[in-house]
Amino acid sequence: MPRMAIVLGSGLGDFAETLADAVAVPYGDLPHWPTARVVGHPSRLVIGSLEGKRVAALAGRHHFYEGLDVGTVVFATRVMGRLGVTQLILTNAAGGINLGFQRGALMVIDDHINLMGANPLAGDNDERFGPRFPDMSEVYSRRLRGMADAASSATGVAVTHGTYAAVHGPSYETPAEIRYLRAIGADAVGMSTVPEAIAARHMGLEVLGISCISNMAAGVLPEPISHDEVMETTRRVRGAFIALLGGIIARL
Ligand code: HPA
């Protein structure tokens, strides 16, 4: 089993195709594995090589907005951790709140704000995973964020940094909600990643998060937000995203 796993966000699943000597298993063929059904998420586990390293790529994730229990949302994270993965890269599409951002930017997640109204660690604590009250003062590893910056310099793929706010969804935010999120220090907003990051830190994994700013958040531009726009942007940045990930994995 690889030491490294990567969860591919909306429209970013193509990365899995770039792995060499790959074995792909549809989620439906994995015992107990929940199936993901969102448009833009071909759902399978691909294990292959990149930059001479073995990587497990999860193309398709589970979202709280699907109405799933948050424990189900982090099922794949728990399995990766128990199989021996020690480094987890979480990627997503997110709305840009920071007015300095542009559609298509790649943001290294420095920290998060959990506004989902749920925590995957609620309920009885399973001591095999980790402690009852895990520290969250460095969810996104400073070391891995530094590697992302080094990969950015080496590949020429620009990155920005910021704080990711996680909301329940599935409706996009209102302009008032986006003003609120900006006021509390969020640079980007999305509907994923945070449950997996919390569960991974609970298990002592090193976590890196990367958001593709697929659209400017509600009210920033005088136009509505659509899932089509999100998918169009992630398709457009596909090459840069894959190059950056390759650079990061080479350094891990
Ligand atoms: N809001 C929440 N989630 C998102 C967005 C957004 O604007 N874009 C992509 N995921």
Side-chain angles (χ1 to χ4, degrees):
M1 185 65 194
R3 296 276 152 206
M4 215 183 293
I6 173 160
V7 178
L8 300 165
S10 287
L12 302 169
D14 287 351
F15 171 80
E17 324 291 332
T18 66
L19 298 177
D21 307 315
V23 179
V25 188
Y27 286 174
D29 293 349
L30 294 165
H32 308 293
W33 204 276
T35 47
R37 273 159 282 116
V38 181
V39 182
H41 296 260
S43 304
R44 58 213 183 93
L45 169 65
V46 182
I47 297 181
S49 299
L50 188 73
E51 304 284 350
K53 309 215 165 127
R54 294 299 279 172
V55 182
L58 293 148
R61 60 146 58 86
H62 300 95
H63 297 88
F64 196 35
Y65 64 69
E66 292 170 74
L68 301 167
D69 181 79
V70 71
T72 305
V73 172
V74 301
F75 179 86
T77 306
R78 294 304 199 189
V79 172
M80 290 298 117
R82 293 295 287 169
L83 286 176
V85 163
T86 56
Q87 293 169 330
L88 182 67
I89 304 177
L90 299 169
T91 69
N92 60 53
I97 294 175
N98 185 318
L99 297 171
F101 288 179
Q102 275 176 3
R103 189 178 161 198
L106 297 176
M107 183 187 91
V108 174
I109 302 177
D110 287 333
D111 203 352
H112 75 223
I113 302 173
N114 181 13
L115 298 171
M116 281 189 166
N119 188 302
L121 311 186
D124 289 340
N125 187 55
D126 188 332
E127 294 289 333
R128 291 172 303 172
F129 291 152
R132 171 76 291 187
F133 300 109
D135 175 57
M136 291 286 145
S137 49
E138 192 183 315
V139 176
Y140 305 89
S141 156
R142 189 173 289 281
R143 192 175 82 86
L144 298 192
R145 283 183 274 143
M147 286 186 185
D149 288 332
S152 167
S153 305
T155 58
V157 176
V159 295
T160 179
H161 284 253
T163 295
Y164 176 92
V167 296
H168 189 301
S171 49
Y172 290 118
E173 301 68 40
T174 63
E177 287 165 345
I178 294 303
R179 290 194 299 275
Y180 160 75
L181 292 173
R182 187 178 297 119
I184 64 170
D187 296 294
V189 58
M191 306 172 192
S192 71
T193 300
V194 164
E196 294 113 303
I198 292 171
R201 286 305 298 143
H202 184 223
M203 302 175 91
L205 275 64
E206 248 188 318
V207 176
L208 178 67
I210 299 176
S211 293
C212 167
I213 304 299
S214 56
N215 55 281
M216 289 311 288
V220 174
L221 301 174
E223 56 200 44
I225 296 161
S226 72
H227 189 59
D228 287 345
E229 177 186 8
V230 170
M231 298 305 292
E232 209 259 303
T233 308
T234 50
R235 255 196 308 278
R236 185 156 58 77
V237 305
R238 175 186 185 280
F241 177 75
I242 289 171
L244 180 69
L245 282 180
I248 292 168
I249 287 167
R251 284 168 176 75
L252 285 177

